Amino acid sequence: MYIIGLQEVNSMINKRLKDVLFTDQWSEVCMERLSPFGYVLVTSQRMQGLLLLVFAKYFHLPFLRGVQTETTRTGLGGYWGNKGGVSARMSVFGHTICFLNCHLPAHMENSDQRMEDFESILQQQQFEGQAATGVLDHDVVFWFGDLNFRIDDLDMQVVKSAIDNNKLPMLWEKDQLNMAKDSETVLEGFHEGPLKFPPTYKFDVGTDTYDTSGKKRKPAWTDRILWRLRATAASGTGVNTGKRSSISGLTSGTKVTQHYYRSYMEYTVSDHKPVSSIFTLQFPYKVDIPLVIITVEDEWNSIADATAKFKMVPNFARSSWDWIGLYKVGFKHHKDYVGYVWAKQEEADFHRQEHQVTFTEEELPKGSGDFILGYYSNNMSTIVGVTEPFQIQLPTSGLDNSSSDSSDFSSEDDSTVVLMKTRSRSPSPRKSKHCSRRSVSRSHSRSRSGSPEQAKMKMLNVTDDSPSSNTTTTKSESTEHPAEGSSSQTSAPKEKEKDRKGSGL
């Protein structure tokens, strides 16, 4: 997974209006860069200058459930969103995880205010469902962003001398966040890797030189990435700063390993340096069966081949607004389909275990390539089943070769970005093909008018159960003052979404 948190994204009125009508350029660029490698935008949340993006491999989508987002404003006493927190929570293979991106108050003297705002964010952010209602109720929490903690007591020259002579440990002891861990109950259980990189704030923009302006801000580690496990084992949970990686674990067998924690001095577009970390999450499976299993028996060489079969787990909360999308391998998000059919349930289908849908010519691509099918649940607002990649090779005579993109995620900026042409496809956890010769009735592919985005979205939390084992790698990134002006190639939407609430953008 890739978890990307930005702070102080351009949020001027004209820019915000543009981002409402079109995808903001940061989201678009991240999708364009990650989609060729099989990563799909799971969810996102924006609050003025704060932006949180969550990406996962397409074949993991059926195991990411109960996705919800929250925002909390703390600027101007809670009336303004220039400061605060945005979060995204979900169940990953049955384990609850929450990602919290914060921008806390600035200035040396506001250490107590930063802690008060953090506690306020934790109290206000409540999620639906019984498994995890608050941020700290989740099995694993990642907390990151411009937390704005400073270095106390030491004057400017002492701090700069320690940086120049690589004596960073003497600065760790005076770091406000490190000191707060000893006295603030709310920080109990939060871990952070060793700060082996120089303070990431404040630089003259365009340089690697610490602030030379009249304000002469003292260098500080304002940009941080921390993590917390809901319940720690009796031993072995401490962060070992002498080793390459830091490990902590739950009594249930969940482990979080930090492989590196670093900054990027080469980026000079901001007065901050971006920070990233790579983690591995290891935990036993609680969920390893998709809610919907879709199968395609062979490649599609003609219109008549364009059929798929699907079956659902017992008690799956099916909706008459569910649909099956046809996606080109490398798709960006659940609306980035080539075509779709409604997964309509006929009255005669209620007692059937397996169902079939047929794609008509207008829902099929104009050419050949590798594709997958995804079952979108309207109740859960997410893809709950995907197929193995399969080939479509239809006759091209008389067909328009222009590609279609049903997404209403687009950028109107004229600038473009060079994209990687090579596509890296990762294997699905289930390699075997499910072939069935059972005779079933076909659902009519056009039983409804309009686009699936027009259906009213509702969120449903699902209780997950069933044992096995899994490893997930998470990359969390945080930066401030991102450069505006980056853009992706413009795509023309087939249809406009009436309700953008489900997308979080």
Side-chain angles (χ1 to χ4, degrees), residues 445-459:
S445 65
R446 276 296 178 185
S447 57
R448 292 184 180 276
S449 60
S451 160
E453 288 97 327
Q454 294 173 355
K456 185 177 180 181
M457 301 297 180
K458 294 181 181 178
M459 186 65 69

Side-chain angles (χ1 to χ4, degrees), residues 51 74 90 116 231-232 274 312 347 357 423:
L51 177 62
T74 59
M90 64 200 66
E116 288 178 17
T232 54
M312 295 163 243
E347 198 169 324
V357 292
R423 177 179 293 118

Side-chain angles (χ1 to χ4, degrees), residues 238-346:
V239 176
N240 189 338
T241 57
K243 293 185 178 180
R244 179 184 175 87
S245 60
S246 304
I247 303 175
S248 55
L250 285 168
T251 52
S252 64
T254 299
K255 290 184 179 180
V256 176
T257 304
Q258 185 181 49
H259 296 285
Y260 76 65
Y261 186 27
R262 59 163 294 190
S263 66
Y264 297 81
M265 292 293 288
E266 63 267 30
Y267 288 95
T268 61
V269 297
S270 167
D271 58 354
H272 290 243
K273 301 299 181 183
V275 171
S276 77
S277 183
I278 286 186
F279 299 89
T280 297
L281 276 64
Q282 292 176 289
F283 43 67
Y285 277 120
K286 286 186 178 179
V287 171
D288 62 350
I289 299 174
L291 295 173
V292 177
I293 296 174
I294 319 175
T295 56
V296 175
E297 292 190 7
D298 207 347
E299 63 183 40
W300 293 356
N301 293 316
S302 68
I303 305 298
D305 295 334
T307 63
K309 296 176 182 178
F310 66 95
K311 54 185 177 181
M312 295 163 243
V313 299
N315 303 319
F316 171 66
R318 188 176 181 182
S319 165
S320 58
W321 293 103
D322 290 355
W323 45 277
I324 295 177
L326 176 64
Y327 299 93
K328 194 168 181 62
V329 168
F331 70 103
K332 297 184 291 187
H333 48 80
H334 75 268
K335 299 191 188 87
D336 192 18
Y337 50 78
V338 175
Y340 69 91
V341 294
W342 294 104
K344 183 183 176 184
Q345 188 171 20
E346 303 290 353

